[in-house]
Amino acid sequence: MKISVITIFPEFFDSFQTTSIIKRAIENKKVEFETIDFRDFTLDKHRHVDDTPYGGGQGMVLACQPIIDALRSIQSERSHVVMLTPQGNTFSQKKAVSLSRYDHLIFLCGHYEGFDERIRSYVDEEISIGDYVLTGGEPAALVVSDAVIRLLDGVILEDSHEDDSFSDGLLEYPQYTKPAVFEGKKVPEVLLSGHHANIRRWRLKESLRKTMQKRPDLLENRTFTKEEEKLLTEIKEETDVKDQ
Ligand code: 6GU
């Protein structure tokens, strides 16, 4: 996969590309990551990327020409163009999985100004990373890139995806490492038992418990397996006992 980010702040992505898992993914050619500075595509000598809004009002508006010329310089039939804006559909793990199937993703980042509305007709979709306002699309492009890159073949151990919070609609079960007792706090006995079937069942139960406690909304439209229903009943009985 190739990811191209169209931005006036390419340096924003420097540490992203040179740190940890993303760095290794780039070195191992699992992903090619590039930034394109659309200021390089301006035609005036002051290199302006924005102008005052028609109709008047506060602020500046990102102009069509530099952004569309930057886009055309890298776009092909294989490209999927994503604009990062607070008006977009909210990003999710499901969206990360669907984006991970494209050959070439192009992310278009605006800054505190809005985009000229006509730019929207050149993009395939608009994505927001949540209901809050950022100074620009760059942190959002970084978040989406990270979530997509870690899903690509060979970037992290395949098994790790299956345990991801959200990938099966549940939050991840609690994890522990040595020592078995820290300041009097013990690791659950079952995890020290070596009994794989019991460990698997405990983990599923604790995933369900965490999801019920912290994100009950994730359970609303879920169809439960027989085993999950049994575990949920156990959890409810345990909570009822505690409440008495
Ligand atoms: Cl993609 N851009 C900006 N400026 N703010 C946001 C956002 C994007 N997603 C959430 N807030």
Side-chain angles (χ1 to χ4, degrees):
M1 131 129 22
K2 182 173 176 181
I3 297 179
S4 308
V5 183
I6 301 180
T7 171
I8 39 172
F9 298 106
E11 65 278 11
F12 189 90
F13 299 89
D14 289 350
S15 65
F16 177 64
Q17 294 176 71
T18 55
T19 307
S20 184
I21 292 173
I22 306 302
K23 175 186 181 183
R24 203 177 62 214
I26 294 167
E27 283 170 357
N28 295 342
K29 307 230 180 318
K30 307 299 180 193
V31 66
E32 193 185 333
F33 191 92
E34 67 174 4
T35 52
I36 292 98
D37 186 347
F38 62 90
R39 202 179 289 284
D40 293 341
F41 291 82
T42 53
L43 302 173
D44 68 310
K45 79 168 190 279
H46 299 293
R47 305 188 1 121
H48 285 137
V49 292
D50 52 12
D51 211 330
T52 53
Y54 276 120
Q58 286 280 306
M60 301 288 273
V61 177
L62 289 168
C64 295
Q65 177 272 318
I67 289 177
I68 300 310
D69 282 352
L71 180 59
R72 290 221 169 99
S73 77
I74 54 166
Q75 194 174 19
S76 76
E77 323 75 64
R78 305 181 308 124
S79 308
H80 184 70
V81 184
V82 178
M83 187 189 222
L84 284 315
T85 94
Q87 299 182 21
N89 293 318
T90 309
F91 190 56
S92 64
Q93 187 61 24
K94 201 166 144 202
K95 178 51 79 174
V97 170
S98 72
L99 291 179
S100 74
R101 304 200 171 110
Y102 289 98
D103 288 332
H104 184 205
L105 292 175
I106 299 177
F107 293 126
L108 183 51
C109 308
H111 232 246
Y112 47 85
E113 313 99 328
F115 291 97
D116 185 305
E117 188 68 18
R118 292 166 290 189
I119 295 172
R120 295 205 147 83
S121 64
Y122 296 82
V123 313
D124 296 309
E125 64 176 315
E126 293 181 45
I127 292 177
S128 159
I129 59 166
D131 289 342
Y132 41 81
V133 182
L134 304 170
T135 56
E138 283 78 9
L142 200 148
V143 165
V144 175
S145 295
D146 188 283
V148 167
I149 293 171
R150 68 182 285 288
L151 291 173
L152 301 176
D153 281 347
V155 172
I156 57 174
L157 286 176
E158 301 295 320
D159 291 355
S160 315
H161 301 166
E162 285 158 29
D163 286 345
D164 285 348
S165 282
F166 300 114
S167 72
D168 68 348
L170 297 177
L171 299 183
E172 220 177 316
Y173 50 78
Q175 294 271 37
Y176 300 86
T177 188
K178 289 183 265 307
V181 184
F182 179 76
E183 295 192 345
K185 299 176 210 300
K186 292 189 184 128
V187 171
E189 205 62 51
V190 60
L191 299 177
L192 311 175
S193 69
H195 192 304
H196 296 296
N198 286 354
I199 291 171
R200 192 200 58 78
R201 187 175 186 281
W202 180 87
R203 285 180 165 165
L204 177 57
K205 184 172 175 179
E206 297 312 312
S207 271
L208 287 163
R209 193 196 308 274
K210 257 195 202 285
T211 314
M212 250 172 76
Q213 285 169 349
K214 297 187 176 177
R215 291 294 306 276
D217 56 299
L218 295 176
L219 299 180
E220 272 161 26
N221 295 311
R222 185 184 176 87
T223 34
F224 296 101
T225 64
K226 275 265 141 54
E227 184 184 29
E228 288 169 351
E229 295 206 5
K230 186 148 183 293
L231 292 169
L232 280 170
T233 312
E234 287 181 21
I235 293 166
K236 283 186 188 128
E237 283 168 4
E238 289 162 20
T239 331
D240 291 346
V241 170
K242 251 197 277 165
D243 289 346
Q244 275 166 19

